[in-house]
Amino acid sequence: MGKCAKIMKGNCSIKFEESKTVFTLKIPAKPYGSQKIATPIDIKTLKLPDKIWGIAIDDSKIQMKLLGKFFEFAGVPSDRVHVFGKDADEIMGFVDFVVNFMDENMGDHVLLIADENLDVTDEASKHRTISGSQLVENIRLRLLPEQEQFLVALIRSANDSSSDVAIYNARAHGFLPKAPIKRANILETLAPLWMARYPQEVGDDDDSLPSRMSRRSRADSFSSLESSASLNDAVATTPIEIIQMVKEISDLFSKGRIMEDRVLRQNIWEKLHALKGDLLTLQVGSKVITAVGMINSFRDAQSNEDLSERWSLLQEQILSFAS
């Protein structure tokens, strides 16, 4: 054993103790992948490809507007942005659209952002929720490998528990929390996700897509994007939009006994979930966090009276910072 250790430029020893025998072997080793040293992520040296498309889906008109700004702040030209979700047809036809779109635009990168909970009302006025991450998984399964390598698909959701994020990462390429949309935030958020998809590596001589992307990233910068407006520019849900959503939910609460009406209860919960996502784009701090926690607590309500009391308290909390 000693000769083997010496051949591997190491050493070994054995020590007999009262209750055990300790054998030690020390040899030099290189970590797997150490020949490819990852470069630090610098948002100022990251640039999305020139021929990139932005595609998004969300069932909230407010969030659809914010996603358009997200792509603008990321540097995607407005004529290369498609945002879906205005009706059931757009949601149900989203997978087919993206697959056909990538067929028609072979070689172009696509940055895709999908809301996780997409509420659909069919012709019979029945509500159901479609999983955005499931749609993304279906898209990836239908694409050819040489097409899928040009896709960066991210799931945007207000639900960020470790189990939820694990599902998003399994079905897509990453997770985007719902938060205020600032130019600086966009770059900081996208950089690690983009580089995880297309790692920057030193000493990689192949001509694969990740290598080409890393060389382009090091060569270009976001300077022109940053100069177009302040990094502090932000887009968020407006107080008027929040108050309108509160009014819509209040109208639902006035319709009857919620606990006995499954459809009404489901409709209210979907509206509350959308309200939660909109609140998370505000920059109000602790008051918003409190309101989000109050929305989460609705799941524990045991009676109509309990629901109504929780809603009254939530309205009061929201109006304290939105009116």
Side-chain angles (χ1 to χ4, degrees):
M1 184 61 71
K3 290 182 179 180
C4 291
K6 187 174 182 180
I7 291 173
M8 293 186 287
K9 299 181 179 179
N11 59 74
C12 65
S13 64
I14 188 168
K15 183 178 180 181
F16 298 99
E17 299 182 0
E18 184 175 345
S19 59
K20 61 183 178 180
T21 300
V22 179
F23 175 78
T24 304
L25 172 66
K26 296 181 179 179
I27 57 174
K30 294 181 179 180
Y32 175 77
S34 61
Q35 298 300 315
K36 299 179 178 181
I37 304 172
T39 59
I41 296 174
D42 183 356
I43 64 172
K44 294 184 181 297
T45 62
L46 170 68
K47 184 180 184 299
L48 300 183
D50 293 331
K51 293 180 66 177
I52 188 170
W53 297 89
I55 299 177
I57 184 168
D58 199 299
D59 61 343
S60 164
K61 292 181 179 179
I62 296 173
Q63 296 299 326
M64 290 173 69
K65 180 187 70 175
L66 297 183
L67 285 167
K69 281 295 182 182
F70 184 102
F71 287 123
E72 176 188 331
F73 289 173
V76 182
S78 60
D79 60 350
R80 298 179 71 86
V81 172
H82 300 280
V83 181
F84 298 88
K86 67 180 181 181
D87 54 35
D89 288 341
E90 286 197 351
I91 294 174
M92 301 307 295
F94 186 68
V95 172
D96 287 338
F97 172 83
V98 175
V99 173
N100 292 334
F101 183 87
M102 296 198 70
D103 280 340
E104 296 167 1
N105 295 273
M106 288 286 291
D108 287 0
H109 284 82
V110 172
L111 174 59
L112 188 154
I113 301 174
D115 179 53
E116 172 59 10
N117 296 289
L118 301 166
D119 297 325
V120 174
T121 303
D122 61 22
E123 295 179 354
S125 298
K126 291 184 178 180
H127 290 80
R128 62 182 177 129
T129 301
I130 306 295
S131 165
S133 63
Q134 187 64 65
L135 295 183
V136 168
E137 184 176 46
N138 293 343
I139 289 169
R140 296 180 65 194
L141 289 172
R142 286 180 56 181
L143 293 174
L144 297 173
E146 55 267 31
Q147 292 176 305
E148 203 273 340
Q149 68 176 342
F150 286 95
L151 175 69
V152 179
L154 308 174
I155 304 303
R156 188 167 181 258
S157 177
N159 296 330
D160 58 357
S161 68
S162 58
S163 58
D164 287 329
V165 173
I167 292 173
Y168 307 151
N169 288 333
R171 294 175 174 175
H173 300 117
F175 164 66
L176 282 176
K178 285 191 175 178
I181 294 179
K182 292 183 178 181
R183 290 183 186 271
N185 286 354
I186 300 306
L187 308 186
E188 292 171 358
T189 302
L190 274 182
L193 295 168
W194 190 269
M195 299 315 301
R197 181 74 169 123
Y198 304 116
Q200 285 182 304
E201 296 176 336
V202 176
D204 188 358
D205 296 327
D206 66 36
D207 194 40
S208 63
L209 176 65
S211 296
R212 297 198 305 273
M213 285 304 304
S214 65
R215 289 196 289 270
R216 177 181 294 182
S217 297
R218 289 192 292 271
D220 298 324
S221 74
F222 263 120
S223 58
S224 60
L225 173 62
E226 291 179 358
S227 63
S228 65
S230 168
L231 285 177
N232 291 322
D233 286 355
V235 179
T237 307
T238 67
I240 293 176
E241 292 167 330
I242 293 293
I243 292 173
Q244 178 60 36
M245 179 69 80
V246 169
K247 182 179 182 303
E248 291 177 10
I249 298 174
S250 290
D251 290 342
L252 291 175
F253 267 92
S254 67
K255 287 188 175 181
R257 297 181 65 79
I258 300 165
M259 298 298 285
E260 290 77 22
D261 189 331
R262 184 185 63 81
V263 174
L264 177 59
R265 189 169 65 251
Q266 179 64 24
N267 200 2
I268 287 176
W269 177 247
E270 290 169 356
K271 290 286 187 182
L272 284 171
H273 186 83
L275 176 61
K276 175 182 173 181
D278 293 342
L279 288 173
L280 288 172
T281 67
L282 295 175
Q283 304 180 68
V284 184
S286 60
K287 289 186 176 182
V288 168
I289 299 302
T290 298
V292 169
M294 293 172 74
I295 291 175
N296 291 337
S297 75
F298 273 71
R299 292 186 180 276
D300 301 326
Q302 300 297 319
S303 66
N304 290 303
E305 293 72 19
D306 190 6
L307 275 173
S308 296
E309 182 179 355
R310 289 171 191 257
W311 174 240
S312 295
L313 292 173
L314 178 59
Q315 281 188 96
E316 183 179 342
Q317 175 69 14
I318 292 175
L319 293 177
S320 72
F321 58 79
S323 60

